[in-house]
Amino acid sequence: MQRRRLRVSSLSLMRWLLSCAIGAIALGALMAVHQCEIGCRRWGGELRWAQELAPPKLSKLPTSTQKLGGAKEVSQFKKLWKPPSRRDFVPCVEPTSSYLPRSESRGYLLVYANGGLNQMRAGICDMVAVARLINATLVVPRLDKNSFWQDSSNFSDVFDEEHFIHSLSSDVKIIKKLPKELKGTTKAIMQFRSWSGVEYYQDEISRLWDDYLVILAAKSDSRLANNKLPSDIQKLRCRAFYKALRFAPQIEALGKLLVERMRSYGPYIALHLRYEKDMLAFSGCTYGLSPAEADELARIRENISYWKVKDIDPQEQRTKGYCPLTPKEVGIFLSSLGYPSNTPVYVAAGEIYGGDSHMAELEARFPILMSKEKLASADELKPFSHYASQMAALDYIVSVESDVFIPSYSGNMARAVEGHRRFLGHRKTITPDRKTLVRLFDKINQGSLKEGKKLSDAISEIHKRRQGSPRKRRGPISGSKGAQRFRTEEPFYENPLPDCLCRRQESQEWNGSLANS
């Protein structure tokens, strides 16, 4: 009887223990599910947020994972991306010991900047120097709203206005608007003489203060000489261009984001593909276009009154190297330099004339062909999309930060980016020799030359010394005279050496002498 009771008690205990175990398992499972729901919901939310940051187009693109085999391939890969030696050159833009505090203002300088983004940038920085030379208070310049692009942007839409004013306060007084009491005053409206030196501004223009309180500069481009200016004026131009005139915060932010997204594919080339309607119409370059497209460009050139040259021989333009490379030619060029097909390429450009029909062969060679429209979502681009200068500013940022920059044409943006990259440490910039390349491309079209090692060796050899290494800014072509002499000079902002770059040792010695003066 006692044993039976013990068996019953043991059985009850086992049942109780089993029930407890089942309950504990169920409770643990319930808690795990609840925790998973919380954690998974949180993780899922983070994932959705990340997906919203990266535009959907990115997920459809191939990756640029480089599979490097032997030492030779590794060496070749490094060579493709290696920047030229900067030869110890560093920026040296601080004023010299003889630079005086700004003088008392004699009047106000109004500036109407003309042209596209980079033409205006160069002109604005030159006007900072002009204001210094004539002891003027500079009114924040007005941007061109009547150019081909019909951009309604104001200065503060494109540039960081507060930074521009305050960073140059030791050099020039800058104000946002002309004082109300002077708005109706008679102004001296001038088109300053092109490529002028100190004497012109200090002698001829400064005399205007005797009769006027306001001088209006109707144009800002190329109004200051490239060379033979005082060292401190040249350094001021560089401080204005490379430090003071930075883009508006919202442009800088998106530009940096585009750079990050581009870098996610690895080292990248920024290609300034100047194959837009305005460029082709202005230059009269029609190679590779249909007859209908060529006629459209001729009509545009005829109807724009301030484009003075109407009749242009397209074949002669191309033979002389005056035309931008076509997208197809750029593809051959990049391949011949040794860049593999999985190289990420950022196309810095407006709308390419002819669209996909002209881009197909380039994209077939380099499928990771990106642009701001592919890297950014429609919502991200919306605040800038109707303003050509703001969209160009995004391209400028991505181009300056690229591992390699290649312009298909030497226009204002190409020159500005090249100069900026030189200033930042002579980053690799390959400038195509268009005149020589056209002859090679014509041989390919005629069947007398094929793509391969012979072409690759020829193109690589031609461009071995065209990769942005330090050199002194080129002066005028020998024998040129008058205005033509200045036109043949290398623009100041294309190459700020020697005025704003010096050897590291020289820079250290110079800074030491300033500290002791």
Side-chain angles (χ1 to χ4, degrees):
M1 189 74 173
Q2 183 122 9
R3 286 182 187 170
R4 180 190 256 174
R5 283 181 188 160
L6 285 173
R7 271 199 302 272
V8 171
S9 299
S10 299
L11 188 59
S12 299
L13 179 62
M14 288 177 65
R15 285 175 179 169
W16 180 82
L17 288 173
L18 184 60
S19 298
C20 288
I22 292 171
I25 292 171
L27 180 62
L30 183 62
M31 289 178 66
V33 168
H34 181 63
Q35 288 173 349
C36 179
E37 283 178 353
I38 295 172
C40 291
R41 191 181 303 121
R42 186 186 302 121
W43 184 84
E46 289 172 355
L47 179 61
R48 283 193 296 275
W49 175 78
Q51 286 173 336
E52 285 170 2
L53 268 183
K57 293 178 184 177
L58 292 182
S59 62
K60 300 175 185 177
L61 292 164
T63 60
S64 62
T65 306
Q66 301 279 354
K67 293 183 178 180
L68 302 176
K72 186 176 180 181
E73 283 187 52
V74 173
S75 174
Q76 177 65 16
F77 178 80
K78 288 181 178 179
K79 184 179 178 182
L80 288 172
W81 301 103
K82 183 181 178 182
S85 170
R86 66 172 68 183
R87 301 213 303 270
D88 228 22
F89 278 100
V90 293
C92 49
V93 297
E94 295 307 310
T96 69
S97 56
S98 59
Y99 191 66
L100 299 174
R102 75 183 194 207
S103 301
E104 185 177 348
S105 172
R106 296 186 63 190
Y108 298 86
L109 177 62
L110 292 176
V111 174
Y112 287 175
N114 61 299
L117 173 69
N118 291 288
Q119 187 173 334
M120 289 193 293
R121 289 176 70 236
I124 289 167
C125 294
D126 279 358
M127 289 299 110
V128 169
V130 168
R132 170 83 186 191
L133 289 172
I134 64 175
N135 298 333
T137 293
L138 177 66
V139 180
V140 167
R142 298 185 186 181
L143 304 188
D144 193 342
K145 293 177 171 58
N146 300 312
S147 66
F148 179 89
W149 302 276
Q150 299 289 302
D151 190 329
S152 61
S153 298
N154 294 316
F155 188 96
S156 59
D157 296 323
V158 182
F159 304 110
D160 188 333
E161 188 174 62
E162 297 296 334
H163 178 76
F164 178 68
I165 293 171
H166 294 302
S167 63
L168 293 168
S169 59
S170 298
D171 306 288
V172 177
K173 183 178 180 180
I174 305 175
I175 60 175
K176 294 182 181 181
K177 293 180 180 180
L178 190 68
K180 289 182 180 178
E181 62 271 18
L182 292 176
K183 286 188 176 180
T185 191
T186 304
K187 304 173 182 65
I189 301 175
M190 298 288 296
Q191 282 197 19
F192 297 146
R193 194 172 65 203
S194 298
W195 298 295
S196 296
V198 171
E199 295 78 13
Y200 168 76
Y201 286 105
Q202 290 187 338
D203 296 343
E204 294 188 38
I205 300 303
S206 286
R207 289 179 193 167
L208 296 172
W209 295 135
D210 296 335
D211 300 306
Y212 301 94
L213 272 174
V214 180
I215 298 173
L216 190 156
K219 287 189 176 183
S220 66
D221 64 319
S222 304
R223 305 297 134 176
L224 199 57
N226 293 306
N227 304 303
K228 297 183 180 179
L229 292 176
S231 175
D232 274 318
I233 291 299
Q234 299 289 59
K235 290 178 184 297
L236 174 56
R237 294 169 86 180
C238 286
R239 291 199 298 277
F241 197 87
Y242 301 119
K243 295 189 173 184
L245 195 63
R246 69 187 185 192
F247 294 117
Q250 65 273 18
I251 294 175
E252 289 278 346
L254 182 55
K256 289 175 182 176
L257 188 58
L258 296 180
V259 171
E260 289 174 13
R261 289 175 181 173
M262 205 63 215
R263 288 218 183 282
S264 70
Y265 291 92
Y268 72 92
I269 293 171
L271 169 65
H272 182 45
L273 189 59
R274 200 68 172 93
Y275 207 72
E276 299 126 329
K277 184 183 288 188
D278 66 296
M279 179 68 245
L280 297 174
F282 178 78
S283 62
C285 296
T286 59
Y287 177 78
L289 301 179
S290 68
E293 289 172 330
D295 288 343
E296 181 185 20
L297 298 182
R299 287 195 301 273
I300 292 171
R301 190 167 63 252
E302 186 65 36
N303 292 331
I304 296 180
S305 59
Y306 53 88
W307 288 0
K308 296 179 181 178
V309 180
K310 304 298 182 183
D311 296 321
I312 300 176
D313 183 337
Q315 184 57 43
E316 184 181 352
Q317 286 285 92
R318 184 169 180 271
T319 302
K320 289 181 178 180
Y322 296 160
C323 291
L325 298 178
T326 68
K328 177 183 177 180
E329 290 170 340
V330 169
I332 297 173
F333 178 63
L334 295 181
S335 296
S336 298
L337 287 174
Y339 289 98
S341 62
N342 60 355
T343 299
V345 178
Y346 178 88
V347 178
E351 185 177 352
I352 299 301
Y353 190 53
D356 293 342
S357 63
H358 291 304
M359 291 294 287
E361 293 192 58
L362 174 58
E363 192 163 12
R365 288 174 181 267
F366 294 93
I368 312 178
L369 198 64
M370 307 298 290
S371 64
K372 52 189 173 293
E373 290 81 6
K374 288 183 179 179
L375 287 171
S377 68
D379 285 344
E380 288 171 325
L381 275 182
K382 188 176 180 180
F384 317 101
S385 58
H386 297 297
Y387 306 97
S389 56
Q390 296 179 47
M391 294 288 272
L394 295 172
D395 282 339
Y396 186 92
I397 292 169
V398 182
S399 297
V400 167
E401 295 299 324
S402 65
D403 299 277
V404 177
F405 175 66
I406 299 177
S408 68
Y409 184 79
S410 185
N412 289 311
M413 176 166 166
R415 290 193 288 265
V417 171
E418 179 178 350
H420 207 147
R421 290 170 67 82
R422 287 179 178 278
F423 185 79
L424 293 174
H426 290 90
R427 297 172 178 177
K428 190 166 188 173
T429 300
I430 305 175
T431 309
D433 182 343
R434 295 189 303 277
K435 187 174 180 179
T436 304
L437 285 172
V438 162
R439 292 200 294 266
L440 294 174
F441 295 148
D442 283 346
K443 287 183 179 180
I444 293 174
N445 293 333
Q446 294 159 8
S448 59
L449 180 64
K450 292 183 178 180
E451 289 189 59
K453 189 175 186 305
K454 185 177 179 180
L455 177 65
S456 183
D457 288 347
I459 288 179
S460 296
E461 181 62 30
I462 292 165
H463 294 86
K464 193 161 56 177
R465 292 178 178 82
R466 299 174 67 93
Q467 303 198 11
S469 58
R471 60 169 175 77
K472 187 177 179 181
R473 188 168 59 256
R474 297 190 186 98
I477 293 176
S478 179
S480 57
K481 297 179 181 179
Q484 188 59 30
R485 177 177 177 274
F486 294 109
R487 286 193 182 94
T488 62
E489 290 181 333
E490 185 173 22
F492 178 79
Y493 298 108
E494 185 175 359
N495 184 5
L497 194 155
D499 311 274
C500 304
L501 293 167
C502 53
R503 302 276 187 182
R504 190 179 302 274
Q505 185 62 35
E506 295 171 3
S507 176
Q508 291 169 348
E509 291 172 358
W510 180 250
N511 289 333
S513 67
L514 283 178
N516 297 326
S517 61

